[in-house]
Amino acid sequence: MGDVTRTDWIWMDGEFVAWEDARIHILTHTMHYGYGAFEGTRAYKRSDGGTSVFRLDDHLGRLANSSHILQLPLPFSREEIRAATLELLKRNKLESCYIRHLVYIGQGAMGLNPGDNPVRLAISTWPWGAYLGEEGLAKGVRCKISSFTRPFPNSLMTKAKVVGNYVNSILAKREAISLGYDEALLLDLDGNVAEGSGENLFMVRNGKIYTPPLNNVLEGVTRRSIMELAEWKGHTLEERGFTRDEVYTADELFMTGTAAEVTPIREVDDRQIGNGKPGPITRDLQDTFFAIIAGDVPEWSHWLVDVPMAARASDQDSKATSAAAS
Ligand code: PMP
């Protein structure tokens, strides 16, 4: 039980530590108050058999921004974190997986002021399939407008992936699940639809794509990617706020996120969206996204950072065989 994240290694503060030894003290400051930052990134197996990380440098950039916002100086350089991430993927031999960077305040002073407690960094990886299910990806998911409001940027920082911010997301997610839905959509303080518990939102009306502006939402790497792809595919897109009743009458709706990838929404608050099936623009962008991460779209290969995997046993066998033959 609880071992679905089991791999060989976890990287902690510059060391590769065996998964079962990756422990922290109960007085770790972030455990008590949620003051820390994290990042979620995915690596994908390409159709040529290799593995690459999707937009690693953009994710590491956001990690740096989150840490900057929280005034937590990252204890390693961007280059060191990047190299550690790639080495960890290689050591864990995972072809497709999720990657979690966590910046946290270690043990020392308690109380709200962490004082001189060390800032620590851990990187973990684990296999993670479709976040909202394969069926959700194929047919769309059912959402509920949450009774919880997205944090107001002047109370919690919405541009940083702050550990404690996710209490709001978990409350919304659990409420939606317990009421029989797949995911929550949260409104901002003005009553506009902001985002999912861990996803950005896109709406299609009369052939045009809309997404809420960044005021109250996380600046999703997948959101930015979809905006760039929409333009590349010749769709028109506008960032503007919209209300829940506009969402009810949308032609298409979809969510984006590292975990959720590009997931169509087929129902909101028991109202069918469009004809209840993923629409053509959603499909087009979803197909393009999956083709890119599989390494099949050369125009966007710069989004993929290759993981230099150790030569597989089968490769070595075939090399040995061909060496013997020559
Ligand atoms: N909004 C929230 C609140 C999130 O947690 C996430 C996941 N990081 C997203 C949006 C989507 O961001 P990204 O595409 O960078 O994963």
Side-chain angles (χ1 to χ4, degrees), residues 62 150 161 166 195 197-200 218 220-222 256-258:
R62 189 170 61 190
R150 247 345 249 162
K161 266 184 87 72
Y166 283 81
E195 60 183 337
S197 65
E199 306 90 2
N200 292 110
L218 188 77
V221 174
T222 326
T256 64
T258 298

Side-chain angles (χ1 to χ4, degrees), residues 5 50 56 58 76 90 113 139 179 211 229 240 243 264 284 309 312:
T5 61
L56 176 61
D58 296 280
F76 294 88
K90 182 174 158 185
N113 183 5
K139 296 188 176 156
L179 293 173
T211 194
L229 291 181
R240 76 156 166 85
T243 54
D284 182 30
M309 286 288 180
R312 280 176 287 258

